[in-house]
């Protein structure tokens, strides 16, 4: 009898290496969640092979990388979504909590476990292309799926989140990717069937000056999407690097001294310069497709 | 409102005060959202957050004693900012929403349209009893003197604090100086009638009149921030000579301007002289 029990225990017990890896994954999750992020997911680097060309995979950025830890945080507070002053949500949208926490995760991996860990590069380093897609990382780590709304990755519980990722040579147990699409929500399917548009498409229709279009198939899943990125940039980034460059071009091309002076000291140029200086407080200025999105709305409904 | 409700409100306020302290705040207080009658239209709490009941104010992130002691005045420019206190505000807002389930929004430190702040944070600090206005301009706390403030608007009802019954400014030392010399330390260091920004009168140990040249102050406090950048850019485009234009673009002044903009959190203000001579809170700066 005791022999049988031992055999069963041995069969059920994970090997020591797996147990250590699982304990580390739990520890990292706990560290990240208690440090301020809302979700944590872990993906194996091989998942990138299918989607990303050679040269841009995690192990191309960190040689020997085995796992990618992805964290996500809610952006604007529920109070900011309530404010009738849209500028308040622009400037409260992002406080870099995800970046701060991913550094804690990377530090913990290097200092406690002795494996290499780096923050995955999130900002564009050539043109407008980031070196590493946080959107893809979030999908591959099982934290969300793409949506009709500008391809924004929606988390089933929170909707819009901001993501950061840590590449590491540490092998960790991984999370499954989501099996069910977050978008379209059942409510959006109904709205689409009744009016031919989802709430986000209705808020910003590409055939009426907006950015979004798409179709839902008979299986109630996304069949096709269209996103006018250029048009979206002109709205979502009124103030920031793009508008600064545009305004500077106009200023440089203005021959009339008096008009040039007016342009330099205008409210628009001041806000553009301010958006660069206070970069983290005004990354984007349009949240309308997300405002009408039902995913995560329950989390924004407070007293 | 029942006694249990009042107890709960007190408990919430206590919890937020403790969290603020843990996050690094020196002081915190609560202002009634309806008390902002002196604020401009569009800048009242209820107009920024519908249903706003209270404004939780935090103060701190002040220059450290070592910062004040540094003989390099440039050092102070690059270390004293509103960034740290805003991060504290975000923590409070997050706590209110996630723990108590009420709406909360932190007032950003930047400006809204036409260089106007979203909310007059100095007024919020005053109404929450976290300090009082001074002759020099900044809100001063009686014990800690100059510090940075942030405000969190919320629909959470909290017991409100009253403005200070005795203003922190003028300090007794300043009243004595006024009686003897007809000026105060801050006015003497930056006299409005002699190229400076500050003027005023004391009467009965209180501020009777205050004069402040905001435009002149801006040219000194923000020599290398956004206004400095715009001024330099204007000079660049007005300069017809190619070589001179290049000199302006690569000058120390323009380089500093770009540094202070891109690292905005490290160089928003460049003059602290009125606060350097202020006796309010100066004991906090006397360390070994």
């Amino acid at each position: 009898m005791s022999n049988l029990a031992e055999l069963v225990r041995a069969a059920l017990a994970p090997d020591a290496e797996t147990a250590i890896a699982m304990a580390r994954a739990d520890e990292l999750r706990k560290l990240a969640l208690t440090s301020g992020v809302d979700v944590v997911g872990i993906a194996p680097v091989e998942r990138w092979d299918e989607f990303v060309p050679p040269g841009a995979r995690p192990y191309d950025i960190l040689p020997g990388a085995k796992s990618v830890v992805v964290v996500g945080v809610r952006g604007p507070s529920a109070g900011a979504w309530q404010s009738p002053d849209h500028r308040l949500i622009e400037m409260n949208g992002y406080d870099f909590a995800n970046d701060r926490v991913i550094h804690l995760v990377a530090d913990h991996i290097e200092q406690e476990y002795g494996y290499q860990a780096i923050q995955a590069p999130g900002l564009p380093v050539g043109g407008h292309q980031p070196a590493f897609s946080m959107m893809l990382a979030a999908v591959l780590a099982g934290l969300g799926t793409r949506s009709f709304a500008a391809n924004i990755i929606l988390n089933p519980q929170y909707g819009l989140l901001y993501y950061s990722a840590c590449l590491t040579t540490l092998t960790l147990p991984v999370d499954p990717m989501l099996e069910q699409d977050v978008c379209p929500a059942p409510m959006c399917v109904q709205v689409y069937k009744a009016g031919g548009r989802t709430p986000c498409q209705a808020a910003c229709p590409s055939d009426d000056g907006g950015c979004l279009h798409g179709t839902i198939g008979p299986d109630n899943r996304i069949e096709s999407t269209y996103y006018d990125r250029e048009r979206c940039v002109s709205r979502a980034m009124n103030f920031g690097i793009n508008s600064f460059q545009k305004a500077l071009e106009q200023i440089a091309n203005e021959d009339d001294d008096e008009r040039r002076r007016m342009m330099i000291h205008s409210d628009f140029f001041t806000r553009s310069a301010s958006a660069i200086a206070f970069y983290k407080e005004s990354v984007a200025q349009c949240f309308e497709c997300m405002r009408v999105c039902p995913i995560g709305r329950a989390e924004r409904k407070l007293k | 409102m029942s006694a249990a409700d009042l107890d709960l409100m007190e408990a919430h306020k206590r919890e937020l005060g403790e969290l603020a302290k843990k996050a690094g705040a020196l002081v915190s207080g609560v202002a009634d959202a309806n008390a902002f009658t002196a604020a401009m239209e569009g800048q009242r709490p209820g107009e920024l957050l519908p249903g706003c009941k209270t404004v939780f104010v935090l103060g701190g992130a002040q220059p450290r004693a070592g910062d004040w002691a540094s003989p390099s005045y440039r050092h102070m420019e690059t270390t004293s900012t509103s960034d740290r206190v805003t991060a504290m505000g975000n923590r409070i807002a997050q706590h209110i929403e996630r723990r108590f389930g009420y709406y909360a929004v932190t007032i950003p430190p930047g400006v809204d349209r036409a260089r106007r702040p979203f909310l007059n944070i100095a007024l919020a600090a005053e109404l929450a009893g976290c300090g009082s206005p001074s002759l020099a301009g900044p809100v001063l706390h009686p014990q800690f003197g100059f510090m940075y403030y942030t405000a969190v608007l919320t629909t959470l009802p909290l017991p409100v604090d009253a403005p200070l019954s005795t203003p922190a400014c003028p300090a007794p030392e300043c009243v004595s100086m006024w009686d003897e010399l007809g000026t105060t330390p801050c006015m003497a260091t930056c006299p409005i009638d002699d190229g400076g920004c500050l003027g005023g009168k004391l009467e009965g140990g209180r501020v009777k009149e205050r004069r402040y040249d905001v435009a002149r102050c801006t040219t000194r406090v923000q020599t290398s921030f956004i206004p400095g950048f715009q001024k330099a850019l204007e000079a660049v485009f007005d300069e017809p000579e190619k070589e001179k234009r290049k000199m302006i673009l690569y000058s120390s002044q323009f380089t500093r301007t770009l540094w202070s903009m891109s690292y905005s959190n490290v160089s928003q203000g460049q003059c602290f002289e009125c606060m350097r001579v202020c006796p309010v809170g100066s004991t906090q700066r006397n360390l070994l």
Side-chain angles (χ1 to χ4, degrees):
Chain A
M1 187 69 181
S2 66
N3 275 351
L4 180 63
E6 273 173 25
L7 283 172
V8 170
R9 252 201 313 272
L12 290 178
D15 61 68
E17 222 169 277
T18 310
I20 290 170
M22 284 172 74
R24 283 173 172 172
D26 284 346
E27 198 170 58
L28 291 172
R29 265 181 232 285
K30 201 172 161 197
L31 170 71
L33 292 170
T34 54
S35 302
V37 300
D38 293 301
V39 295
V40 184
I42 301 172
V45 293
E46 294 77 18
R47 281 189 191 161
W48 269 258
D49 294 353
E50 188 186 335
F51 301 97
V52 174
R57 294 168 181 163
Y59 46 83
D60 296 320
I61 298 167
L62 176 66
K66 298 280 192 303
S67 319
V68 180
V69 183
V70 184
V71 299
V73 296
R74 277 172 275 182
S77 67
W81 283 104
Q82 293 291 312
S83 180
D85 184 341
H86 66 91
R87 289 268 294 154
L88 211 57
I89 198 169
E90 293 170 21
M91 298 182 75
N92 267 299
Y94 194 31
D95 78 342
F96 281 97
N98 44 320
D99 283 342
R100 286 197 299 272
V101 173
I102 214 67
H103 277 289
L104 290 178
V105 168
D107 285 349
H108 194 83
I109 292 172
E110 291 210 339
Q111 288 160 18
E112 299 298 322
Y113 310 148
Y115 286 82
Q116 291 173 11
I118 60 168
Q119 181 188 16
L123 289 175
V125 288
H128 291 283
Q129 296 296 339
F132 188 81
S133 166
M134 293 302 151
M135 292 168 70
L136 180 63
V139 172
L140 298 181
L143 297 178
T145 62
R146 282 181 187 262
S147 68
F148 275 127
N151 295 324
I152 286 170
I153 306 302
L154 294 179
N155 176 269
Q157 185 181 353
Y158 298 109
L160 169 71
L161 291 175
Y162 294 104
Y163 294 101
S164 286
C166 166
L167 315 181
T168 177
T169 52
L170 173 67
T171 302
L172 289 164
V174 300
D175 294 305
M177 290 166 64
L178 295 183
E179 283 179 13
Q180 191 172 345
D181 296 338
V182 180
C183 174
M187 178 202 137
C188 300
V189 176
Q190 284 183 357
V191 172
Y192 178 84
K193 283 178 178 167
R197 280 177 177 155
T198 60
C200 58
Q201 290 165 7
C204 194
S206 65
D207 56 3
D208 194 14
C211 317
L212 306 175
H213 181 66
T215 55
I216 296 178
D219 57 355
N220 291 343
R221 298 182 70 185
I222 293 176
E223 186 178 60
S224 69
T225 62
Y226 173 76
Y227 166 50
D228 192 328
R229 184 173 153 176
E230 303 308 314
R231 209 181 264 174
C232 184
V233 167
S234 71
R235 285 148 199 216
M237 299 181 95
N238 280 294
F239 305 107
I241 291 165
N242 300 322
S243 75
F244 178 81
Q245 289 167 307
K246 192 175 170 186
L248 198 61
E249 183 192 339
Q250 288 169 348
I251 288 165
N253 287 335
E254 179 54 60
D255 294 326
D256 187 295
D257 289 356
E258 215 30 62
R259 277 180 65 98
R260 198 168 58 235
R261 201 160 294 137
M262 276 171 62
M263 289 159 83
I264 289 173
H265 294 282
S266 68
D267 195 31
F268 179 75
F269 192 63
T270 304
R271 283 167 73 181
S272 295
S274 181
I276 291 180
F278 287 83
Y279 170 62
K280 66 181 176 185
E281 284 142 5
S282 190
V283 177
Q285 292 97 40
C286 178
F287 289 81
E288 296 317 301
C289 57
M290 285 294 101
R291 191 183 293 282
V292 296
C293 178
I295 314 287
R297 186 176 288 169
E299 295 291 333
R300 302 205 300 260
K301 214 163 171 118
L302 305 177
K303 288 180 265 184
Chain B
M1 194 174 281
S2 69
D5 287 338
L6 288 171
D7 285 349
L8 187 65
M9 280 166 55
E10 283 291 353
H12 284 161
K13 185 178 174 183
R14 213 169 26 248
E15 189 171 321
L16 291 175
E18 282 163 12
L19 178 67
K21 210 164 247 184
K22 202 173 152 196
L26 288 176
V27 295
S28 65
V30 179
D32 186 339
N34 293 318
F36 287 67
T37 49
M40 287 171 69
E41 201 178 325
Q43 293 186 325
R44 293 166 197 147
E47 291 165 327
L48 295 165
L49 176 64
C52 182
K53 298 267 191 318
T54 53
V55 180
F56 192 87
V57 178
L58 302 92
Q62 75 292 1
R64 295 185 179 87
D67 293 327
W68 288 109
S70 173
S72 166
Y73 72 92
R74 296 282 308 276
H75 166 74
M76 193 81 130
E77 295 174 12
T78 58
T79 53
S80 301
T81 73
S82 55
D83 254 35
R84 282 186 285 154
V85 81
T86 306
M88 294 175 207
N90 285 339
R91 275 186 76 174
I92 292 290
Q94 200 177 72
H95 193 81
I96 291 172
E97 292 204 339
R98 296 181 190 181
R99 179 151 159 75
F100 304 143
Y102 286 83
Y103 292 110
V105 58
T106 313
I107 294 298
V111 289
D112 197 2
R113 299 163 189 88
R115 300 191 191 201
R116 284 192 336 214
F118 286 89
L119 179 94
N120 185 337
I121 292 177
L123 177 63
E126 186 186 347
L127 292 171
C130 290
S132 60
S134 68
L135 262 174
V139 168
L140 296 179
H141 184 270
Q143 185 186 351
F144 300 109
F146 170 71
M147 66 178 88
Y148 294 99
Y149 293 95
T150 191
V152 178
L153 312 183
T154 178
T155 52
L156 173 70
L158 291 166
V160 297
D161 294 295
L164 298 178
S165 52
T166 307
C169 173
E173 300 93 317
C174 302
V175 176
S176 303
M177 186 175 173
W178 173 262
D179 290 341
E180 203 178 318
L181 303 169
T183 188
T184 61
C186 59
M187 289 195 287
T189 204
C190 195
I192 197 164
D193 295 323
D194 193 14
C197 318
L198 303 174
K201 277 184 191 159
L202 302 189
E203 201 175 284
R206 295 277 176 115
V207 175
K208 165 83 174 166
E209 182 192 309
R210 179 174 179 259
R211 292 160 66 205
Y212 171 55
D213 192 329
V214 62
R216 205 182 271 171
C217 186
T218 299
T219 65
R220 285 147 197 218
V221 172
Q222 301 207 321
T223 55
S224 56
F225 192 47
I226 293 167
F229 171 75
Q230 288 166 304
K231 198 176 168 188
L233 201 63
E234 190 187 321
V236 168
F237 283 116
D238 283 347
E239 178 53 59
E241 216 178 297
K242 199 176 166 187
E243 248 340 280
K244 282 185 80 160
R245 208 161 51 227
K246 193 173 170 186
M247 276 172 65
I248 299 172
L249 283 172
Y250 289 94
S251 68
S252 170
Q253 167 68 20
F254 197 64
T255 307
R256 270 178 67 188
T257 301
L258 292 177
W259 273 109
S260 75
M261 273 180 64
S262 51
Y263 283 74
S264 73
N265 57 340
V266 293
S267 189
Q268 287 163 13
Q270 291 98 41
C271 177
F272 290 82
E273 297 317 301
C274 56
M275 286 295 99
R276 189 182 295 281
V277 296
C278 178
V280 182
S282 60
T283 52
Q284 307 289 326
R285 309 204 291 258
N286 290 334
L287 301 181
L288 295 175

